[in-house]
Amino acid sequence: MKQLLLVCLLLVPGLAQALSLTGEVRWQGEVHQTETVRVEPGASLIIAPGAKVTFAAGQLEVAGRLQARQVSFAGTHWQGVVLKGCASDTLVADSSVRGAEIGIQVIGGEPRIEGTDFESNRVGLELRQSQASVSGCRFQDNAKVGLFVKDESRAAIINNSFIGNGKFGCYIFRAQPRRFAGNTFNANPVGIMVSYFGSDPLLEENCLTGNQVAIRVDRAARPTLRRNDLRDNGTGLDLYRRADPLVEANRIAGNKVGVQIAYSSYPQLHGNDLSGNGVALLLKDQSMVWEREKGARVRSGAASQSPFGGRKRGQVGEAQRAPRQQDGSVDARDNWWGKDATAELTRLGADGNVSFIVDGRDSAGFKEDGKLYPLDVVRYAPWRLEAVTWP
Amino acid sequence: MRMWLPKILLLLSGLLLAACTPHQNQGLQGVVQFDGQPLAGVQLAVYLQSSGDRTTQPFATAVSDGAGRYRLELPPGRYYLVAKKRQTDASGHSRMLMAECPTNPLRLTDAPLEVPGFSLREMGQGGRLVADPGTGIGGRLLSAGKPLSGAYVYVYLEDAAGLRGPSYGEAVATDADGRFRVELPAGSYYLAARKRADGARFGELQPGDLNGDFAANPVRLAIGQTRQLPDWSLTPVDAKVRAERFRQGRFAYSATGLAGRAVDEQGRPAAGIYVYAYLDSRMVGKPSYISAPTGADGRFRVNLGEAGRYYIGARSTYGGPLEPGERVGTFDGKADHRAEVKAGKTLALGDIVVREVW
């Protein structure tokens, strides 16, 4: 006989003591906690639709199973919900999480988080080493990051929206989501940040508009960007510190700067619509001469810092970080640059100084320690003669 | 006949000694380095076997000179060369540098052998290891007789810390069949494995998490050698044992300690901060002592086993590499973050400011 310990906490606004929950526990109505509540391994917490769960301190820590549909989680000085190794039968759906240090932190496991609003948390949702599924959620006005994907997470992140978060809409750090598609980003300082060696996800069919920077790739990350729509941002794609993404068939249009490339970044840009940007391609502090002279040394210094500033052995070798392309050019062949730009390309030819690309043809370079380093140049020929279309 | 016997024995002994005594032009020579510089005073020890107890008397020894150069007179044969040096830094703390010669075994004929230069490593420091080609360890983890996926195998360079904490040199996860493989440089390693219920790679083990050290530690590895270890079983952490270890461990109260408060840049108490006390002024690797995480009031206490000079840092993560968004700070009462603690006293450090790092 199935044994269930059924504890219904029918709490009007009031205090419940710190709890360690075992068996099957149900919450409904208004539940107020003042300390951490832990759902033990093997236990289940089922929260009825319409419930309002508030925490004055502590966190809801689930090592068992959580079922929460149409539930409001809120608090003023609380840590948030922590899902530790929860299986796919843990579900948070059509709910809201507000006011937490980290709205929901998922450590391991593969819970499902669907249609949930994350608002006014320090970090909305954090995934660590997790295969969680996150879909249809809204991340808005979180102080630092809407969604943090880190530490080798292989999550699926689909059809979510990220609006007005303090620093980053979504930050992918040392992680490789198994699917990242159909998400929208608006009014974030940085819509998507992909950082560090080992962060090589496929970002596909996402829409980013009105962000200061739509997508930034940093520190030897090598994502693939395919069929994304980056329009009307300050900068569409910002490649910084050895960022080598593969950028294919995206619409990067109507931004002040389409693609900014800096500090030894060598992307592959092919089949994109790069029309209507203030500047389509901007190279900044980008020089293969500098890279050959200083790149490895600068990276070695940065990588050998311990958290407290001391020296420590780097975790990523220079062989992994070094650029694969070393001819002093940025590969941007086979793109659509717009109708007027195409006319200019036709007029100036394969090695002309076109007005919509800022590279070594425009500037002598940049100075560092009194030495002038020449800017790289963009290889843009051949170019597309017709606009890129998407079915 | 009796009169001749001592003379014959003497003659035979002389012949044997002549055969065993190396010629002046026979032997090993080379240079040892540390941190890219030649290192003097390194003890070079030669063994006849690849494995076994390295604390036994070596076959021959030498010490490197001021240019990091050494020379060992040896008869022809097959040898294993190990270099080590105990060093004391400016703050009076010692550290052990060590390395097995990457080209072991060394085959010596009747001509001198110039051994390729190699570098010593500091034992017990964090940071990943740079593997030698084709060199590594593989195996399989079990729990209750079944393959254990999603567990982590930790590779330590020494066992002084009881194979606990964040000072491991490498960590790898097991696959769906419970198997793991880790590429390593040639050397000697101590292996431990854990599987936390939450799947995390690091953090305090909780009751029910799985834990186990490899029974045949240390595992020795020559360059180009891949060792397949026997199956290795993990067992659950017992709540009572853990509680006792916790009580006796680093959180146990001692009269000698450090106390203070972690605050953010606005001076507000910072919760969830660990305060680390290092003996090593570089503040890398495993701290000697660590506080429990701060609560809402930001207060911390670090219980110290002994008085002395410590270097103090604080961060919001229990070990592991620095992550964006992490809060980090140092005790800034002194420029080098040091605090001098007297026996039986609690030194008040005041506020340690932790800042977000992006």
Side-chain angles (χ1 to χ4, degrees), chain A residues 229-240:
Chain A
D229 198 347
L230 287 67
R231 279 190 287 185
D232 304 323
N233 302 284
T235 300
L237 178 58
D238 184 16
L239 309 178
Y240 192 61

Side-chain angles (χ1 to χ4, degrees), chain B residues 24-330:
Chain B
Q24 285 299 308
N25 291 328
Q26 277 179 349
L28 307 173
Q29 58 188 32
V31 174
V32 282
Q33 297 185 321
F34 179 67
D35 228 4
Q37 301 294 322
L39 188 62
V42 176
Q43 188 198 53
L44 284 301
V46 169
Y47 296 85
L48 299 177
Q49 292 184 319
S50 64
S51 58
D53 187 358
R54 288 282 192 253
T55 61
T56 58
Q57 199 71 10
F59 181 74
T61 61
V63 176
S64 65
D65 63 17
R69 190 143 195 95
Y70 63 90
R71 179 175 171 78
L72 285 141
E73 304 291 340
L74 294 165
R78 194 163 172 263
Y79 299 105
Y80 294 85
L81 181 63
V82 177
K84 57 175 95 169
K85 178 176 183 178
R86 185 171 288 282
Q87 210 174 42
T88 303
D89 66 16
S91 57
H93 301 301
S94 64
R95 58 180 181 173
M96 175 60 87
L97 311 179
M98 195 169 169
E100 294 217 12
C101 176
T103 52
N104 279 341
L106 303 168
R107 286 185 175 76
L108 185 60
T109 60
D110 52 3
L113 176 65
E114 181 72 27
V115 178
F118 62 99
S119 292
L120 280 71
R121 288 191 303 272
E122 184 176 352
M123 308 301 286
Q125 290 301 318
R128 289 191 181 172
L129 305 168
V130 179
D132 286 326
T135 309
I137 297 171
R140 187 172 69 147
L141 298 187
L142 304 175
S143 172
K146 294 180 180 172
L148 184 64
S149 65
Y152 282 92
V153 176
Y154 301 87
V155 180
Y156 289 85
L157 300 171
E158 60 176 7
D159 65 350
L163 308 189
R164 301 286 178 271
S167 64
Y168 53 82
E170 185 64 276
V172 291
T174 56
D175 65 14
D177 298 323
R179 297 191 181 281
F180 68 93
R181 177 172 167 75
V182 54
E183 312 290 336
L184 292 166
S188 184
Y189 301 101
Y190 298 84
L191 306 183
R194 283 146 216 152
K195 181 173 182 179
R196 295 170 177 82
D198 60 15
R201 187 170 53 218
F202 43 75
E204 278 290 331
L205 286 173
Q206 302 294 322
D209 290 347
L210 300 171
N211 184 35
D213 298 343
F214 181 59
N217 279 330
V219 177
R220 295 197 170 86
L221 206 53
I223 191 164
Q225 182 186 21
T226 296
R227 287 196 61 179
Q228 191 64 28
L229 304 180
D231 285 352
W232 164 14
S233 290
L234 305 192
T235 53
V237 173
D238 182 84
K240 285 183 182 171
V241 172
R242 177 183 174 276
E244 182 60 20
R245 175 177 282 179
F246 209 70
R247 194 180 64 76
Q248 295 179 350
R250 63 175 189 273
F251 298 123
Y253 181 82
S254 71
T256 307
L258 303 162
R261 193 174 68 137
V263 299
D264 65 15
E265 289 172 273
Q266 284 74 47
R268 296 172 300 201
I273 303 295
Y274 298 89
V275 177
Y276 292 57
Y278 290 87
L279 286 167
D280 186 333
S281 61
R282 296 169 305 160
M283 300 169 74
V284 296
K286 182 181 171 67
S288 299
Y289 300 95
I290 186 170
S291 75
T294 57
D297 62 0
R299 295 271 168 205
F300 67 83
R301 178 178 175 84
V302 185
N303 294 301
L304 303 172
E306 56 187 340
R309 175 182 292 177
Y310 294 92
Y311 299 85
I312 312 301
R315 59 185 292 201
S316 53
T317 303
Y318 181 80
L322 191 63
E323 294 183 348
E326 190 176 331
R327 290 167 292 163
V328 180
T330 48

Side-chain angles (χ1 to χ4, degrees), chain A residues 201-270:
Chain A
L202 167 62
L203 310 182
E204 197 170 27
E205 298 182 354
N206 301 286
C207 181
L208 301 102
T209 59
N211 303 284
Q212 289 176 37
V213 173
I215 301 176
R216 174 174 290 151
V217 184
D218 185 20
R219 288 192 231 196
R222 290 172 181 152
T224 297
L225 278 52
R226 194 169 287 146
R227 300 163 67 90
N228 298 286
D229 198 347
L230 287 67
R231 279 190 287 185
D232 304 323
N233 302 284
T235 300
L237 178 58
D238 184 16
L239 309 178
Y240 192 61
R241 292 188 288 190
R242 288 291 310 108
D244 295 354
L246 174 60
V247 185
E248 288 182 336
N250 300 280
R251 179 182 286 131
I252 307 175
N255 306 287
K256 288 179 184 163
V257 175
V259 181
Q260 176 165 300
I261 300 170
Y263 289 112
S264 305
S265 296
Y266 292 94
Q268 304 281 312
L269 299 150
H270 303 302

